[in-house]
Amino acid sequence: MSSNKDELARGLKSRHVTMIALGGAIGAGIFQGSSSSIELAGPGVILSYLLAGIILYFVMQAMAEMAVQQPKAKTLRDLIQTFLGPYAGFFSGWIYFISWMLVMAAEMAAAAGFLKYWFTDTPLWLLSLIVSILITVINLFAVNIFGETEYWLSALKVSVLTLFILLGGVLIFAGFNGESAAGFENLTEHGGFLPFGISGIAASMLVVMFSFGGTEMIGMTLGETENPEKVIPKAARSVIIRILVFYVLPILVIVSLMPWNEVGKQSPFVTVFDTLGIPYIGGFMNFVLLTAVISAANTGMYAASRLLYTQALDGNAPKFFSKLSSKRVPVRALLASTSFLYIGVIVAVFAEGETFGYLMVVPGYAILSIWILLTIAHLKSRKPGVALKGFFVKSYPYTSWFSLIALLAILAGILMTSPPIGTIITLSICIILTLIYLFGAKK
């Protein structure tokens, strides 16, 4: 660990980094929203998750290589800026910051809704405020406290998914409580494995890719990870394997146990646990969903504060935000991010659902743009005749070109299918950021 008091403390261990990325990627969507991707592609959605996992694996490998070659980088924004220039660093830092502000506001509103299950007479705004304060306090401590908190929050989600896979396997292969084994007949019945053909796979890819959003959080821990040259490549490999396991296998269980066209009628997790006779399933799943959204918001607060801190170091935000606490936490950047969060909570709780839904298109575009920029940066990162040290992608440049083309195709699909208002809002934000850079940011 560095003794320099002007640098972030390297207090995150390998297990912390892995779980931070999982915390960002395995959110309430897999428990609550998995039905939307199944409805678009039927059982064939399994292929969508596999393909998306491959694309993301290539992106994470590229990011890991750049992180090893650039040991002074503190966040993924620094990697992008190193190889694509100051504007790319400025733009990626702010668009990612804005997206996490919106995501955190949505997660806080969702957390309030889940708490309402037990605290029926408490106003939603107060419940959101309590959770927001809790997340702020956790992040004010030394970074290893944040890492440990996120580790256990993510571990709970992983444990529930593991339990679901195991119990679902029992119902598929052995049956339970007098019921015969379900087998895999539902995979080919009700219109077949691909009821909507290849077009269904393509349509579901838009949803599936966004469900993996947050995996790039590995790149936000570069400045606070012990031995990043070893930890980051290992985390990139292990996270993508775990995400594939904890997405593909649960989806396989769901479409095997239930007709795919009936999945949306009730949470598949509730159905499986209820069939096995687990008591208080409603309260149990509500608790799981609550921890999932708190975990995602906690990760978002970490990302937002580090982005504001690194932007301040580069002169893209007031130097005021580059101040570290005695625990070497960017406390001013953290508190500023928190203030935006509280404003977002008010908007999320009181705004019309459709209005806020338009804003939530922005994080989708932002995450995809970060992945695209990371891929382009990797393609530009290598210099002819310069040997790489440590970890590097052996299949360069083919995997990065494959990822870039695939991501651009998905972006085209989003442009054609997203609500026009959401796209216009995103484009307006991009134009404003560009104007700020041209006329106000430090060159």
Side-chain angles (χ1 to χ4, degrees):
M1 185 179 296
S2 172
S3 60
N4 191 340
K5 293 182 180 180
D6 294 326
E7 295 182 357
L8 296 168
R10 293 193 177 275
L12 294 177
K13 302 181 184 300
S14 178
R15 64 188 182 91
H16 293 149
V17 175
T18 299
M19 283 300 191
I20 286 170
L22 282 172
I26 302 179
I30 182 63
F31 297 104
Q32 198 174 37
S34 53
S35 59
S36 59
S37 59
I38 295 173
E39 289 174 352
L40 289 169
V45 76
I46 297 169
L47 300 180
S48 303
Y49 280 99
L50 285 172
L51 179 58
I54 292 170
I55 295 170
L56 192 55
Y57 174 72
F58 292 156
V59 176
M60 293 302 101
Q61 291 288 89
M63 184 175 70
E65 178 190 298
M66 291 188 290
V68 169
Q69 305 307 319
Q70 298 293 322
K72 294 184 179 181
K74 295 178 175 62
T75 67
L76 55 79
R77 186 207 74 93
D78 297 335
L79 298 178
I80 292 172
Q81 177 166 298
T82 298
F83 299 109
L84 299 183
Y87 170 70
F90 175 90
F91 176 82
S92 61
W94 282 119
I95 196 68
Y96 201 47
F97 176 86
I98 292 169
S99 72
W100 272 116
M101 289 294 100
L102 291 170
V103 168
M104 282 193 293
E107 301 288 12
M108 288 300 93
F114 294 132
L115 283 171
K116 196 79 172 175
Y117 181 89
W118 295 292
F119 304 101
T120 55
D121 297 328
T122 308
L124 282 174
W125 68 267
L126 181 58
L127 295 173
S128 293
L129 180 62
I130 291 171
V131 179
S132 299
I133 292 173
L134 173 64
I135 290 174
T136 302
V137 171
I138 290 172
N139 279 269
L140 282 172
F141 290 111
V143 70
N144 62 314
I145 301 298
F146 158 78
E148 202 65 31
T149 301
E150 189 55 36
Y151 176 86
W152 290 108
L153 287 173
S154 297
L156 174 63
K157 293 185 287 187
V158 169
S159 299
V160 172
L161 286 171
T162 302
L163 180 64
F164 177 76
I165 293 168
L166 294 175
L167 295 180
V170 170
L171 294 176
I172 291 171
F173 294 106
F176 184 80
N177 198 24
E179 297 288 335
S180 59
F184 296 102
E185 292 181 0
N186 281 322
L187 294 179
T188 54
E189 294 182 350
H190 314 288
F193 185 71
L194 296 172
F196 302 109
I198 300 300
S199 61
I201 299 294
S204 66
M205 282 296 294
L206 307 181
V207 178
V208 171
M209 286 301 295
F210 291 144
S211 68
F212 286 165
T215 311
E216 72 287 339
M217 276 298 301
I218 295 172
M220 295 304 304
T221 67
L222 300 180
E224 295 173 277
T225 302
E226 294 179 358
N227 304 313
E229 69 282 355
K230 296 180 179 179
V231 170
I232 299 301
K234 179 182 176 183
R237 288 192 297 268
S238 64
V239 163
I240 198 61
I241 292 171
R242 294 184 192 193
I243 284 180
L244 285 174
V245 169
F246 293 124
Y247 268 97
V248 174
L249 290 184
I251 296 297
L252 175 61
V253 169
I254 290 169
V255 294
S256 298
L257 292 178
M258 306 172 64
W260 68 268
N261 51 359
E262 295 181 10
V263 168
K265 296 179 180 178
Q266 178 175 271
S267 167
F269 288 84
V270 172
T271 300
V272 171
F273 289 140
D274 193 42
T275 301
L276 290 164
I278 296 178
Y280 310 110
I281 186 61
F284 173 71
M285 286 307 301
N286 195 73
F287 176 72
V288 171
L289 289 166
L290 175 63
T291 58
V293 298
I294 290 177
S295 170
N298 192 40
T299 300
M301 178 58 69
Y302 173 85
S305 60
R306 270 53 180 184
L307 283 167
L308 186 54
Y309 166 73
T310 53
Q311 291 282 55
L313 287 179
D314 266 9
N316 294 331
K319 280 289 184 183
F320 176 83
F321 296 122
S322 64
K323 176 70 174 178
L324 297 178
S325 70
S326 59
K327 300 291 186 181
R328 287 190 279 169
V329 171
V331 61
R332 293 178 179 177
L334 176 65
L335 292 176
S337 302
T338 300
S339 65
F340 286 114
L341 172 59
Y342 294 149
I343 295 171
V345 166
I346 295 172
V347 173
V349 172
F350 293 104
E352 293 291 333
E354 189 174 359
T355 301
F356 192 71
Y358 292 142
L359 291 175
M360 288 310 296
V361 174
V362 177
Y365 279 114
I367 290 171
L368 197 60
S369 68
I370 293 295
W371 293 347
I372 290 172
L373 288 172
L374 283 170
T375 305
I376 296 173
H378 185 234
L379 288 170
K380 294 190 66 176
S381 65
R382 295 197 186 182
K383 298 179 180 179
V386 178
L388 298 182
K389 300 178 181 178
F391 172 82
F392 62 92
V393 178
K394 297 180 177 61
S395 52
Y396 174 93
Y398 306 109
T399 52
S400 289
W401 274 115
F402 172 81
S403 300
L404 179 59
I405 293 170
L407 290 171
L408 289 174
I410 293 170
L411 176 61
I414 296 168
L415 287 169
M416 291 186 290
T417 57
S418 294
I421 295 178
T423 301
I424 291 171
I425 291 173
T426 305
L427 182 60
S428 299
I429 292 173
C430 294
I431 292 172
I432 291 171
L433 289 177
T434 301
L435 292 175
I436 291 174
Y437 175 80
L438 290 175
F439 297 106
K442 175 183 175 182
K443 303 298 187 293

